[in-house]
Amino acid sequence: MAAITMSGLTKVYPNGVRALNALDLQIADGEFFALLGPSGCGKTTLLRTIAGLEVASGGTVQIGDTDVTGLPPGRRDVAMVFQDYALFPHMSVRDNIAYPLRIKKVDRRTRHGKAAETADGLGLAELLERRPAQLSGGQQQRVALARAMAYTPQVFLLDEPLSNLDARLRLEARTFLKRLQRDLGVTTVFVTHDQAEALALADRIAVMQGGRIRQVGTPVEVFRRPANTFVAGFIGSTPMNLIPATVRDGGIDVAGAVLPIPETAGEVTPGESITYGVRPEYLDYSPAERAGALSGEVVVVENLGSSSLVSLDLPGDAGTVQVVVPEGDEPQPGDRGWVVPKAGRALLYRDDELVAAPIPAQPAGANR
């Protein structure tokens, strides 16, 4: 197994499109690392450049102790699982799994034995003689993973491997994939546009936009402490509320309500225009008037099952604020409501970047 180090990695296509812009990124040995971002952000290009399927225009890629920037894909010791699984339709499951070993000129008995062993570990033992067309989407996904595993590479590269599954299978496959990677301990880079997948699976996440990395951190860090308004608005099943505000003496004027300066904020200046950010999950809703709370008219109530997402129109040009309300406490459109941030959950942004107080250092051994 091996770490991956990228330095100044750049990819410019002949038409002038800059897909990767001087990226510096380190992925630890054995880490499950997610590349997350909207379509066109460069995440798949980055994955393909690690694999050698795209040639870097500048910078370097190192896997373990080896600079692989100029090496062809077959010499990088990586295995890739594609979005469409890329199984050979004329081959059996056994032969699909064994194919990378066949390319390496491993003898037939050995590669078929390895295919059977790998298939058994993924619940495919009874399907070895079937063709891909005779398999469900979840089974095809496991065959693609088995093919990568049988090769025993230093690095797994997964390009949205769950996107073709239905919602139920995706949840099952997500749990299976996390357990599999933990058991194997292989460095894994996982590309997805689905933030729920990234938050659930990854040890760390790189959030990308326009060929750049906007933030790298653990799922908890990027969810609770987004480094900029792009990450704040992208991460989460519902985007963070980002409301224009003004700093006052001793507080923040948000849509006519004066709220405390968040504990998480760095230095701010009275009269300064900033953006007040708080997630819908971190707001408390009240149907009765409360001092120091944002007030607005309920315009939309969306049922989420065990809770509801309530949207309130704020006064003036402040826009809309969303709050998650427990099941049974939902207001009705047209009601007046008040919301107040939970302690320690609000953030401030200046020029789209987080205005953050330093994170207190933990005592030695605190995480042990």
Side-chain angles (χ1 to χ4, degrees):
M1 313 316 163
I4 306 171
T5 303
M6 288 153 273
S7 301
L9 195 62
T10 300
K11 175 63 180 179
V12 182
Y13 287 103
N15 62 2
V17 173
R18 185 174 290 267
L20 301 176
N21 197 344
L23 299 186
D24 294 321
L25 182 63
Q26 289 189 323
I27 299 171
D29 183 9
E31 188 172 29
F32 197 124
F33 194 93
L35 300 175
L36 175 66
S39 297
C41 71
K43 56 188 184 295
T44 295
T45 300
L46 178 54
L47 193 78
R48 290 173 61 85
T49 305
I50 296 171
L53 301 176
E54 297 283 355
V55 178
S57 305
T60 60
V61 179
Q62 183 171 311
I63 298 177
D65 297 325
T66 305
D67 185 340
V68 301
T69 312
L71 294 182
R75 294 181 57 196
R76 296 194 180 202
D77 201 13
V78 303
M80 191 163 181
V81 177
F82 296 91
Q83 181 176 348
D84 62 0
Y85 312 136
L87 302 178
F88 296 105
H90 63 286
M91 290 185 184
S92 66
V93 167
R94 184 192 306 275
D95 288 338
N96 265 285
I97 295 173
Y99 185 75
L101 301 176
R102 177 181 169 186
I103 295 299
K104 293 180 71 176
K105 302 191 184 303
V106 175
D107 67 86
R108 180 185 178 89
R109 176 178 294 183
T110 301
R111 67 177 185 256
H112 279 192
K114 182 66 174 178
E117 177 187 344
T118 307
D120 186 56
L122 296 179
L124 298 169
E126 297 179 358
L127 307 176
L128 284 172
E129 304 309 320
R130 294 191 186 182
R131 300 289 177 87
Q134 298 172 298
L135 305 178
S136 69
Q139 290 167 336
Q140 290 185 49
Q141 182 241 4
R142 279 184 284 158
V143 173
L145 287 169
R147 182 175 58 189
M149 287 172 54
Y151 178 63
T152 58
Q154 291 193 87
V155 174
F156 283 147
L157 303 175
L158 310 179
D159 187 10
E160 303 204 44
L162 310 183
S163 61
N164 290 335
L165 303 181
D166 62 39
R168 177 64 180 271
L169 269 178
R170 185 177 295 189
L171 287 175
E172 293 176 0
R174 202 166 73 186
T175 303
F176 162 78
L177 189 58
K178 181 67 173 178
R179 292 181 61 180
L180 177 66
Q181 193 276 337
R182 183 188 62 199
D183 292 343
L184 295 174
V186 178
T187 306
T188 300
V189 186
F190 178 86
V191 162
T192 182
H193 64 274
D194 186 325
Q195 52 196 283
E197 284 181 1
L199 292 170
L201 288 169
D203 298 319
R204 286 193 304 148
I205 299 169
V207 184
M208 296 185 64
Q209 180 193 27
R212 299 176 182 272
I213 294 175
R214 300 302 307 273
Q215 184 174 1
V216 176
T218 66
V220 170
E221 288 168 348
V222 298
F223 185 82
R224 293 187 181 176
R225 201 175 169 94
N228 46 71
T229 54
F230 171 77
V231 177
F234 186 77
I235 293 289
S237 56
T238 53
M240 181 180 285
N241 294 300
L242 297 169
I243 310 167
T246 304
V247 181
R248 303 296 184 200
D249 287 328
I252 307 290
D253 185 339
V254 186
V258 179
L259 304 178
I261 295 175
E263 302 168 8
T264 56
E267 292 187 7
V268 290
T269 306
E272 177 182 8
S273 295
I274 48 89
T275 298
Y276 190 89
V278 62
R279 292 200 177 279
E281 298 90 341
Y282 297 156
L283 286 169
D284 287 325
Y285 176 85
S286 173
E289 185 172 356
R290 294 177 60 175
L294 297 172
S295 175
E297 179 184 345
V298 176
V299 289
V300 177
V301 178
E302 301 173 55
N303 190 335
L304 304 179
S306 60
S307 61
S308 292
L309 181 66
V310 177
S311 299
L312 299 93
D313 272 351
L314 298 175
D317 298 326
T320 301
V321 64
Q322 294 185 310
V323 54
V324 174
V325 175
E327 181 183 11
D329 294 339
E330 306 92 340
Q332 297 298 314
D335 288 353
R336 194 80 184 162
W338 285 260
V339 294
V340 62
K342 296 178 180 178
R345 294 302 194 181
L347 301 169
L348 297 183
Y349 292 89
R350 177 193 295 122
D351 298 328
D352 294 334
E353 298 297 322
L354 181 64
V355 183
I359 300 175
Q362 291 185 326
N367 291 328
R368 295 179 183 175

